[in-house]
Amino acid sequence: MAMKDYSDEFRADAVALYESTPGATYKSIAADLGVNRVTLREWVLRDRERRGITAAAAKPAAPLREAVPSADPDERVRQLEARVAELEASERKLATERDILRRAAKYFGRGDELVMSRFQFVDDHRDTYEVKRLCQVLDVNRSSYYKWLAGAEARATRRHKDRVLAEEIREIHGESGGAYGSPRVTAELREKGRRVNEKRVARIMRTFSITGIRLRRRVRTTVADPATSPVADLFQRDFTAAAPGREYMGDITYLPLAGGEFLYLATVLDCFSRKVVGWSIADHMRTGLVADALQMAASTRGGLDGSVFHSDHGAQYGSRAFAGLCDQLGVTRSMGAVGTSADNAACESFHASLKRETLRGAHDYGDAGTCRRTVFAWLTRYNTRRRHSANGHLSPNEYERRHHTATLTLAA
């Protein structure tokens, strides 16, 4: 319901009604006026602040009885004793409220808390103070507190189930080398027969601080050769294929070593399944690096005749030697625009994932041998086990296997 625009006169009258009604509560007056209890309380407090009246000096919950002068000394003594008792009761109430607020300040010392946490405070202190008084001081509804209390068993059950699921998530996350986010973790859980919602997985990962690894700053590896012959862009940023072995893409990325040195990795990916069908690692970026990766792809696929290979305008891919190798293998070349990383975005993303999941926050791989072993292990695991979002969270090998099975079924 939209909040009403109350006039100044209405607000003033509402405050006056509350202040002049003996034993009135915000809830009762607000209900009579048809306004929100919190809104009425805010009006009253602002009016008191304007008039310079503190909360302690404000209207008491119930008016103190005025002593009526009496000629009888004994009656006057009784009246004075009754008034003293009322004042002492009022003082005890204020002292209790101050004590509750001091405890609450420590309890909520980390900042503003949710209503459910205020309910927890009431429950933790109900043996010391009355529930009614606690709810009044903390400005929570008593019936809502009892409703929250009735759901304690259900909440405990949910928390237990969350902890059990968190352990499963942590195991899957660890097996992925700390790389999987909630989509891939969800796919892995479903593969194991777990019926789970991705939003719940994401929530539990946040709650239990199960996080991935951030990307690193890039180093330029593409240097165009202005003397090369122009090659058309046959992909037009469409990195998909109808079947395996038809369209490939490739790129080069750097692999940082200790001491500021680098190794370089060239890869060839099948656009259909994102499978790495060829790769090469060397300490240089000469044409031989990309040529070795393409020849490995030809060996993996049993030939590349009739396929298309897409790359950026790096000098290695534009060289005569690489063009001759493509002609020899029956490969048609395709190149994106000069200086536009989006024209080879799928490879860029692949290399970013590789370094994020193998470096895992480190600045370098250490020595060259460690680097080669680490990258090799990741590349092979990528094809056989790592779930890919473009494949419906199936590994490249499994995605191609299911496609092959479906093709044979249709042919039969």
Side-chain angles (χ1 to χ4, degrees):
M1 179 183 293
M3 183 175 290
K4 297 179 181 178
D5 185 15
Y6 300 103
S7 66
D8 293 339
E9 182 180 2
F10 182 92
R11 297 181 186 185
D13 289 342
V15 172
L17 176 62
Y18 173 80
E19 296 285 21
S20 62
T21 304
T25 63
Y26 290 120
K27 182 177 180 181
S28 63
I29 299 298
D32 292 340
L33 297 173
V35 302
N36 185 278
R37 175 174 56 87
V38 177
T39 301
L40 175 62
R41 181 174 181 270
E42 183 180 353
W43 293 347
V44 172
L45 293 179
R46 285 183 180 178
D47 183 74
R48 290 175 179 174
E49 183 179 2
R50 179 182 59 81
R51 291 184 289 139
I53 300 176
T54 62
K59 178 181 72 68
L64 297 177
R65 292 179 297 174
E66 295 184 2
V68 179
S70 174
D72 184 358
D74 292 337
E75 181 62 25
R76 291 198 64 182
V77 169
R78 284 194 295 270
Q79 289 177 345
L80 290 173
E81 288 177 345
R83 184 165 180 79
V84 168
E86 290 180 4
L87 290 172
E88 288 177 344
S90 178
E91 178 61 28
R92 285 195 299 271
K93 176 185 175 182
L94 291 174
T96 299
E97 291 180 355
R98 286 195 296 269
D99 191 35
I100 291 173
L101 290 172
R102 280 196 296 268
R103 290 174 182 248
K106 294 180 181 179
Y107 194 87
F108 302 128
R110 295 183 178 180
D112 189 22
E113 298 290 334
L114 299 174
V115 174
M116 189 177 71
S117 296
R118 296 203 293 272
F119 288 157
Q120 188 64 58
F121 177 85
V122 173
D123 197 53
D124 290 344
H125 295 81
R126 61 184 300 178
D127 293 335
T128 306
Y129 308 102
E130 291 182 348
V131 170
K132 178 180 179 180
R133 179 66 60 218
L134 287 164
C135 290
Q136 286 176 342
V137 173
L138 294 178
D139 196 23
V140 297
N141 191 290
R142 201 172 4 153
S143 62
S144 298
Y145 161 71
Y146 285 116
K147 183 178 179 181
W148 173 87
L149 193 62
E153 185 176 349
R155 289 195 303 277
T157 301
R158 285 197 299 271
R159 286 195 295 268
H160 174 71
K161 289 181 178 179
D162 283 352
R163 286 194 294 269
V164 172
L165 183 56
E167 289 304 312
E168 296 181 44
I169 292 173
R170 204 181 299 279
E171 182 179 353
I172 292 171
H173 188 258
E175 290 176 353
S176 73
Y180 277 8
S182 58
R184 290 190 175 92
V185 169
T186 303
E188 193 74 33
L189 288 167
R190 289 173 179 171
E191 185 76 17
K192 295 180 178 181
R194 261 285 206 169
R195 297 183 62 183
V196 64
N197 185 283
E198 184 184 331
K199 290 183 179 179
R200 184 186 177 202
V201 172
R203 174 180 59 80
I204 292 176
M205 291 182 72
R206 287 194 302 270
T207 301
F208 289 86
S209 301
I210 306 173
T211 57
I213 306 164
R214 297 181 181 273
L215 291 172
R216 293 172 49 82
R217 182 174 59 88
R218 296 179 56 215
V219 171
R220 187 184 182 195
T221 55
T222 302
V223 181
D225 184 352
T228 58
S229 301
V231 176
D233 183 357
L234 304 179
F235 275 38
Q236 296 297 319
R237 300 188 182 181
D238 181 5
F239 305 107
T240 62
R246 296 183 183 179
E247 298 178 16
Y248 298 94
M249 51 188 169
D251 199 6
I252 302 173
T253 191
Y254 75 100
L255 303 173
L257 304 178
E261 298 181 347
F262 297 96
L263 289 180
Y264 300 93
L265 169 69
T267 53
V268 179
L269 278 66
D270 191 305
C271 294
F272 173 75
S273 62
R274 300 296 197 272
K275 179 174 181 176
V276 189
V277 294
W279 71 80
S280 178
I281 301 176
D283 58 0
H284 62 80
M285 288 197 300
R286 295 189 292 272
T287 302
L289 176 69
V290 296
D292 289 345
L294 190 65
Q295 286 175 332
M296 179 181 175
S299 177
T300 301
R301 288 303 197 197
L304 300 176
D305 188 37
S307 64
V308 178
F309 176 78
H310 183 82
S311 68
D312 58 26
H313 274 265
Q316 304 86 348
Y317 293 112
S319 67
R320 292 183 179 178
F322 188 76
L325 176 61
C326 288
D327 291 340
Q328 178 185 337
L329 296 173
V331 174
T332 301
R333 289 189 299 157
S334 169
M335 285 187 176
V338 177
T340 305
S341 61
D343 285 352
N344 204 22
C347 277
E348 298 273 356
S349 176
F350 169 80
H351 287 153
S353 296
L354 181 152
K355 284 188 279 190
R356 182 177 65 247
E357 295 177 16
T358 53
L359 284 170
R360 303 178 66 179
H363 294 288
D364 57 70
Y365 290 95
D367 59 82
T370 300
C371 177
R372 287 177 180 273
R373 289 190 299 271
T374 302
V375 173
F376 172 78
W378 189 89
L379 290 171
T380 53
R381 188 182 185 280
Y382 170 91
N383 283 338
T384 58
R385 294 190 58 190
R386 187 182 182 277
R387 297 180 182 274
H388 202 297
S389 57
N391 297 340
H393 293 297
L394 297 175
S395 69
N397 281 0
E398 178 63 16
Y399 191 66
E400 290 194 1
R401 186 192 68 78
R402 294 192 183 188
H403 171 78
H404 181 67
T405 302
T407 302
L408 292 177
T409 302
L410 289 174

